[in-house]
Amino acid sequence: MNMLIEQLKLVHLEGRETNFFRKLSAHDLLIIDDFGMLRLEGQIQHDFEQIIDDRYNRKALILASRLPIKDWYNVFQSELIAEACVDRIVHKSKRFELKGESLRKNINFAADTEDYQPSERISPEYAYDADRLHNRVVPLHQKKKITF
């Protein structure tokens, strides 16, 4: 979510809003992680509403948040925009609620895969799964970045 907010601020400064939203809506799937970590205010909340509205009933959206849905209204400065966004997000959505401890607490990920060793906190029967999981994780600097 932080990267999306920074990208939105940048496209407004550069006057590339139309191109940004057009390219963003061209993707079949949009994944927004850490929703609710920052409060959406001013133009950013309007931009977020436009993104949600553009995707509604047309394209897929995965929204990950640690906040319960009832607290999502507090993420927005405007109650009206909050209601519109939450209504579109929740309507026809499939909700998955994960329970339990974070995997990040149980697995030591090294920046370099050659140096990776499963955490001593992981029991031996899970060590193989941790190795397999690590091999699928792409470090942030290697992820493909969408530019607009």
Side-chain angles (χ1 to χ4, degrees), residues 12 17-18 24 39 67-68 87 109 146:
H12 281 291
E17 299 93 337
T18 304
L24 194 62
R39 185 167 167 82
L67 292 177
D87 181 57
F109 289 108
I146 302 170

Side-chain angles (χ1 to χ4, degrees), residues 33-34 66 101-109 119 121 133:
D33 193 14
D34 291 334
R66 293 181 148 234
E101 289 288 321
S102 168
L103 286 177
R104 291 183 185 123
K105 292 180 181 179
N106 297 326
I107 300 174
N108 277 337
F109 289 108
S119 171
R121 293 178 288 176
L133 177 64

